Amino acid sequence: MTRCCIILGDQLSADLSALQTLEPRDVVLMAEVWSEATYVNHHKQKIALIFSAMRHFRDALRQSGRTVHYVTLDDPDNTQDLTTELERMQAVHEFSGWVLTEPGEWRLKVAFESLANRADYPIEILEDTRFFASHARFSSFLSGRKQPRMEHFYRAMRKETGLLMDGAEPAGGQWNFDHDNRKKFTGGALPAPMTWPEDAITTEVKSLVNRRFANHFGTLESWFWPVTREQALEALQYFIAERLPFFGDFQDALVAEEDTLFHSLLSTSMHLGLLSPREVCVAAEMAYRDGQAPINAVEGFIRQILGWREYVRGLYWAYMPEYKERNGLKADWPLPEFFWDESQTDMRCIQEAVRNTREHAYAHHIQRLMVTGNFALISGCRVGDVTDWYLAVYADAFEWVELPNTLGMALFADGGLMGSKPYCASGKYIDRMSDYCKGCVYSVKAVDTEDACPMNYLYWDFLATHREAFANNPRMAMVLKNLDRMDPEKLSRVRMLATDFKARVNATGSDRQSKAQGALL
Ligand code: FAD
Ligand code: DLZ
């Protein structure tokens, strides 16, 4: 009567719902499989992080006395797919039944449900309880709301969890301190990301990844990812002490060659299950209560986890699979080559965001939203290309969190479900929040000349293209008024520059003018 529990690469939590149901005699299956490692061109660090964390979790389970069948990628018997590995193990061991916690991605949930329906042995799929809001709780939030908004959900979650509450009132007297969190960083010492000596497991996994995934995006040289719960707890403590006090002030800042600023780098640890979101929020709140971090920092940080992280997951499960097909702005321009190779662009902001991404499998939120995301939005990049890119290149990218952020927040392709207006901006915004423009060959002050920052003419071209679609959106009224006031000849020059830019990129893969002209001769 032995049962088996299959644990996936992002389910590395001792309190996982499926693990909780096991008797001491029951066993665990974990498998490194080609299908999961290649369904998009995952960054090398993402694959290495998941394999290393899985192997460490296997060892922790074994130390606790649990029998674990662990299938490595190179195992000659490996069928290289999670559901077929389950079937293979069942044929060998004839378990009395299986249990798993629901996968975090739609495609995999469907695959396991379909196996459960056709198998002649029981496969039980349990809800993932590692989130604040269950599926039922999120459905009840959505029900009856025409226009769901994160802020309403977040306030309800604050009240329900008691996080950052003084009785019935929000701590600090306000629900949201976002207005205090928009400072430009003008210099000073920045705490380096925490790192640990590399152990034999990570070294072996990196060598496996270099050998088997040599053509995948990114490098393995840098590494600031915890691979065990102990390391993740240290990373949490380090963040709370060194970075959280400044997190709020500089949450939206962009600084050349400063790749992580005051961000926590905790997303991978929470998604893999090494940390629970609750313990992360509680640690942040304690720092506020102890006077170690100001309210604007702590509220801003907790809002990202209790608010945004839960909200995007809720929307994902509520609207999939139809959500993935949305293309509200009919975007269809292929993603430029320079998203994979920053040497192909002269835009310093994109160079910085893509370099960070390639070197670290990381970019902070404003790089993702206001640099690469904004460029993809205003140039009209094809939604599927963009969502595949984001899913591939970040160590923390799992579809439940990546898709609503990309398709909804960055590309405004979901018809306004994630946000009430598109996050579109010209180079002026990037100049205000960063030091990128100073070292850029393009002129951020220019709009309708050859040397103008492409973000400028693409921005006005975007507004002109979608003028009718945005006409009834009160939050777009001001920018549309500015568009309408633009001299028609100037607008026509701007639109021509946007067309030429895209033609140049189509022809050469690059926006570099001299190279493009050379290639066209
Ligand atoms: P911090 O800035 O320190 O924030 C703290 C935590 O808050 C994060 O660890 C994360 O868990 C949570 N958080 C912050 N913003 C969001 C958000 N918008 N949605 C959900 N959780 C949030 N996040 C992912 O985890 N995976 C993704 O694949 C992903 N793709 C994104 C794609 C786009 C286009 C955009 C605009 C954002 C995306 N985000 C994604 C959200 C956010 O950028 C990352 O969570 C964050 O940069 C992770 O770094 P950090 O841990 O240092 O975060
Ligand atoms: C992302 C990933 C990768 C690269 N490899 C594996 C793997 O070999 N085995 C595994 O169990 N899980 C892996 N994962 C994580 C899964 O893709 C993840 O569980 C789903 O995306 C659901 O969130």
Side-chain angles (χ1 to χ4, degrees), residues 263-267 271 301 304 362 365 368 396-397 402 405:
H263 293 275
S264 70
L265 310 175
L266 292 175
S267 51
H271 300 345
F301 181 69
Q304 306 313 311
Y362 180 82
H365 186 67
R368 298 189 206 196
D396 59 22
E402 177 275 331
N405 268 301

Side-chain angles (χ1 to χ4, degrees), residues 14 46 59 96 98 130 154 193 203 235 238 251 256 263 278 285 306 324 345 350 359 389 394 408 414 428 438 457 504:
K46 181 178 178 187
D59 292 352
S96 60
W98 285 78
R130 298 173 300 165
Y154 166 59
T203 303
Y238 179 78
Q251 195 177 347
H263 293 275
R278 189 179 297 273
E285 174 162 3
L306 181 63
K324 202 173 175 171
T345 179
I350 302 269
E359 288 178 2
W389 184 79
Y394 293 114
D414 65 1
K428 210 173 175 181
K438 270 189 247 132
Y457 47 74
R504 201 156 69 230

Side-chain angles (χ1 to χ4, degrees), residues 239 247 251 262-268 270-271 301 304-305 308-310 312 362-366 368-369 373 390-391 394 396-398 401-403 405-406 409-410 418:
F239 166 71
F247 176 88
Q251 195 177 347
F262 297 103
H263 293 275
S264 70
L265 310 175
L266 292 175
S267 51
T268 60
M270 283 187 277
H271 300 345
F301 181 69
Q304 306 313 311
I305 297 171
W308 282 113
R309 186 173 185 271
E310 295 287 321
V312 299
Y362 180 82
H364 58 76
H365 186 67
I366 295 300
R368 298 189 206 196
L369 183 63
Y390 277 97
L391 189 57
Y394 293 114
D396 59 22
F398 296 90
V401 54
E402 177 275 331
L403 191 69
N405 268 301
T406 306
M409 191 187 290
M418 268 285 279

Side-chain angles (χ1 to χ4, degrees), residues 51-66:
F51 287 3
S52 175
M54 284 174 71
R55 291 180 186 199
H56 281 96
F57 191 68
R58 165 202 65 193
D59 292 352
L61 284 178
R62 284 180 180 159
Q63 268 160 27
S64 74
R66 181 70 62 198

